Amino acid sequence: MAAPPARSEPSTGHHRPRFSSLWLTATIPLVVGLVIFFIPAPDGVDASGMRMLGIFVATILGLILQPLPTGAVALVGLALAMVTKTMSAKQALAGFSNTTIWLIVASFFIAEGFIVTGLGKRIALLFVRAIGRSSLGLAYGMAVTDLVLAPATPSNTARAGGVIYPIVKSLSVLEDSTAETDESRKKLGSYLLLTALQVNVITSAMFVTAMAGNPLAVSAAEDKGIHISWGKWALAAIVPGVVCLIVVPWVMRKVYRPTLLATPEAPGLAREQLREAGRPSVHEWIMGATFVLLLVLWCLSDQIGIDATTTAFVGVAILLVTGVLTWRTLVTDTGAWQTLVFFGVLVAMADQLRELKVIDWVGDKVADSVGGLPWLVAFAILTLVYFYVHYLFASNTAQIVAMYAVFLGAAISAGAPPLFSALVLGFIGSLFGGLAHYSSGPAGVMYGSGYITTSEWFRVGFIMSVVIIGIWTIVGGAWMKLIGIW
């Protein structure tokens, strides 16, 4: 989730929430958590299971309502779990030794390399120069840029906000498309930003390391005996992902048509900025070579016996030794460290819920709701519910931690193929990020530009969700059948 994994932190400036608002957003999680906390444990669940569930649900609600910043909410939940003796200190802190979380942290550091060297911006400008003579061409240029950067950028918010958004904004202003009036914003900027958001959710679903919540889904699947390597995830996602990247900008131009179709000045602007940037620096070349090395090692992880986390830290080490990154850069990367705190707490809580048999109990209840149905029908219902319940979440990762294992267990109980179920639910964990203006970090970035109204977000987000679900169901389902996933 970016920093935090799937949603930007609230402003740390002088603005403070009103006391009444803070009281309300803090009271709701507390009350709900207390109600669950004191429910007697059902059969098959450890005596402290409902207490753990109450603290976990309260923490998730706190992450949604945010009476405090994300990391602070997580630490409050951690403290409550320890002081009530629901978790021992050792259990509560166990999540910080999770290798999956450190893979995400290391990947955040690698993503910094694209930004500090300017390589990410250079890649985007090269595509604008080549295919940016129309609004559709610009949209495809940003899509290809996002795709190139995605495998090593688990902060989808950094990818959208640090690389794509500044370029889209400058191109829009160049074409006299600003957020000041409806006529001006709809000229170009609104279309490009909405399209960039829908593209971002697709690229986030295509690679384990393209969105911070994906490795958590892989880890949860591993707990159920389902092994998903980096290469296996990428292979399963590549065909529906590429088809989506081809279709979505074109469909978006039909659904939300810009009034400016030709952008002849855009390649010239890109050419001028590339000229100002000069020849690629040594650090850019090192960053590019390191990126290629990481992709190769991640793809061959099963064959060479080097896990993804080790590979990521090899990449960080190379960038540190060569001076592409400095220790100060790593220390000041608040997104990475907030992710460590956020994930460390939630993963520890989720592990404890599993140990106490709460996850199995909830999964059985969900499975019972679709019991007796053919597995394809049951799976379709489960995936649609999992997708659209995201309207209630303001974070991809919060939903993945709270619900992925439950829905995966229910799908398997209904007879769905385990690997197929794990991958599809994993993809959905990114794909629902474009539903609303609060659904993910990149959505918050684009919405904050002022180019898109709230009603437009809900309308376009729902229409595009239908398009994306259709492509991943038909094309993705057929492709995964062809390669033996189910």
Side-chain angles (χ1 to χ4, degrees), residues 321-478:
V321 169
T322 56
V324 174
L325 295 177
T326 65
W327 178 245
R328 182 177 179 81
T329 303
L330 269 57
V331 169
T332 56
D333 188 347
T334 56
W337 300 116
Q338 287 181 107
T339 297
L340 175 64
V341 172
F342 173 78
F343 280 4
V345 171
L346 290 186
V347 167
M349 288 184 176
D351 285 344
Q352 186 71 353
L353 285 172
R354 186 170 56 254
E355 288 293 324
L356 299 174
K357 305 299 181 183
V358 177
I359 297 294
D360 292 340
W361 173 71
V362 176
D364 289 342
K365 295 298 181 182
V366 175
D368 288 345
S369 67
V370 292
L373 296 174
W375 78 261
L376 274 173
V377 176
F379 188 66
I381 293 172
L382 290 171
T383 51
L384 286 174
V385 170
Y386 186 66
F387 194 109
Y388 287 109
V389 78
H390 192 63
Y391 277 119
L392 304 178
F393 285 84
S395 160
N396 297 53
T397 307
Q399 181 173 336
I400 291 169
V401 172
M403 304 183 75
Y404 176 85
V406 170
F407 274 73
L408 176 58
I412 294 171
S413 297
L419 179 58
F420 176 72
S421 302
L423 284 168
V424 171
L425 291 170
F427 300 152
I428 292 174
S430 292
L431 295 175
F432 51 39
L435 280 174
H437 59 293
Y438 57 82
S439 293
S440 62
V445 171
M446 304 308 180
Y447 181 70
S449 68
Y451 275 83
I452 307 122
T453 66
T454 303
S455 60
E456 288 171 342
W457 269 104
F458 280 97
R459 179 178 66 85
V460 175
F462 179 77
I463 292 172
M464 295 311 298
S465 74
V466 174
V467 173
I468 290 171
I469 289 172
I471 292 173
W472 283 78
T473 299
I474 298 171
V475 177

Side-chain angles (χ1 to χ4, degrees), residues 276-287:
E276 292 174 358
R279 297 171 65 85
S281 65
V282 173
H283 283 175
E284 284 183 79
W285 283 112
I286 294 172
M287 183 66 234

Side-chain angles (χ1 to χ4, degrees), residues 80-292:
L80 287 172
M82 291 190 288
V83 77
T84 59
K85 300 189 182 302
T86 305
M87 299 175 75
S88 67
K90 184 176 181 180
Q91 290 170 327
L93 298 174
F96 294 101
S97 65
N98 186 288
T99 58
T100 298
I101 296 172
W102 282 102
L103 165 63
I104 300 167
V105 172
S107 297
F108 265 79
F109 295 150
I110 294 166
E112 278 289 318
F114 281 102
I115 295 174
V116 299
T117 63
L119 180 58
K121 181 179 180 180
R122 184 182 294 275
I123 291 170
L125 292 173
L126 287 171
F127 286 120
V128 171
R129 186 180 68 179
I131 57 176
R133 294 187 176 277
S134 68
S135 55
L136 185 60
L138 290 174
Y140 279 124
M142 295 302 98
V144 178
T145 301
D146 202 323
L147 177 62
V148 170
L149 299 179
T153 317
S155 172
N156 52 352
T157 303
R159 198 163 70 243
V163 178
I164 303 298
Y165 174 74
I167 294 174
V168 168
K169 182 70 179 293
S170 64
L171 289 170
S172 299
V173 172
L174 174 69
E175 299 294 347
D176 196 28
S177 177
T178 69
E180 295 178 3
T181 66
D182 279 353
E183 181 181 2
S184 181
R185 68 182 180 83
K186 290 182 178 180
K187 190 175 182 181
L188 180 64
S190 299
Y191 164 74
L192 288 181
L193 289 170
L194 275 171
T195 304
L197 185 277
Q198 296 300 330
V199 162
N200 184 271
V201 304
I202 297 162
T203 59
S204 296
M206 292 177 68
F207 308 98
V208 170
T209 45
M211 200 278 286
N214 293 345
L216 296 184
V218 170
S219 180
E222 193 77 43
D223 290 336
K224 292 187 177 295
I226 306 168
H227 176 65
I228 305 174
S229 66
W230 192 95
K232 188 179 294 182
W233 180 299
L235 177 64
I238 192 68
V239 170
V242 169
V243 171
C244 260
L245 292 178
I246 294 171
V247 171
V248 162
W250 180 83
V251 172
M252 275 295 304
R253 201 166 72 151
K254 301 294 183 183
V255 172
Y256 194 89
R257 186 178 180 85
T259 57
L260 179 67
L261 300 181
T263 57
E265 294 89 354
L269 174 65
R271 195 175 295 111
E272 179 182 340
Q273 292 191 22
L274 285 168
R275 189 182 303 114
E276 292 174 358
R279 297 171 65 85
S281 65
V282 173
H283 283 175
E284 284 183 79
W285 283 112
I286 294 172
M287 183 66 234
T290 303
F291 177 52
V292 172

